[in-house]
């Protein structure tokens, strides 16, 4: 397996990538995004990998939900908060019923 770097994805075949009309603007935006802090910390990724492995061994239950095709107009704080609360409630119910901890995974704004 090759080593991962922030730019390593650019060497992969782009089979379903958007074609940006304004390539200069797209480059400017990607450069700006590249300077921002990560949305997810490395420690969170490691914790998720550990919990998914526990689920694979039957020690945890996975709760997964969210949208993968919402519109920009639907990405509002109240709607997102409602989705998160639902996933948390589902996890609590499953933990109560099964006696096992859960891994809660929520996909929001997946196509962006």
């Amino acid at each position: 397996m090759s080593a991962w770097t922030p730019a390593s994805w650019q060497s992969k075949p782009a089979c379903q990538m958007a074609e940006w009309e304004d390539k200069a603007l797209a480059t400017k935006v990607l450069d700006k995004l590249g300077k921002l802090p990560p949305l997810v910390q490395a420690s969170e990724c490691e914790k998720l990998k550990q919990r998914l492995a526990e689920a694979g061994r039957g020690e945890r239950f996975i709760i997964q939900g969210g949208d993968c095709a919402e519109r920009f107009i639907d990405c509002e704080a109240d709607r997102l908060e409602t989705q998160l609360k639902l996933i948390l409630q589902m996890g609590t119910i499953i933990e109560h019923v099964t006696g096992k901890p859960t891994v809660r995974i929520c996909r929001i704004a997946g196509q962006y």
Side-chain angles (χ1 to χ4, degrees):
M1 179 183 281
S2 61
W4 181 90
T5 67
S8 62
W9 63 272
Q10 294 172 335
S11 67
K12 306 294 183 203
C15 298
Q16 295 182 346
M17 297 294 290
E19 285 293 325
W20 307 108
E21 291 179 20
D22 189 337
K23 295 195 185 317
L25 179 59
T27 299
K28 182 178 175 182
V29 169
L30 288 173
D31 288 343
K32 182 176 181 179
L33 288 174
K35 294 174 184 154
L36 296 174
L39 294 175
V40 179
Q41 299 299 317
S43 61
E44 293 174 302
C45 294
E46 290 302 318
K47 188 182 291 185
L48 177 60
K49 284 171 36 177
Q50 175 188 352
R51 290 181 177 173
L52 289 173
E54 292 168 356
R57 293 189 301 267
E59 300 165 6
R60 287 185 177 269
F61 195 93
I62 296 175
I63 301 292
Q64 184 172 349
D67 290 332
C68 62
E70 70 275 12
R71 305 168 302 163
F72 277 117
I73 196 169
D74 295 328
C75 292
E76 301 175 330
D78 290 342
R79 184 174 180 280
L80 299 176
E81 183 179 356
T82 300
Q83 283 184 308
L84 290 172
K85 284 180 180 177
L86 177 63
I87 296 293
L88 290 172
Q89 290 170 351
M90 289 170 56
T92 301
I93 291 167
I94 293 296
E95 287 179 0
H96 179 75
V97 171
T98 66
K100 291 183 180 183
T102 60
V103 180
R104 297 172 184 120
I105 303 169
C106 193
R107 180 178 175 177
I108 298 176
Q111 78 274 21
Y112 306 129

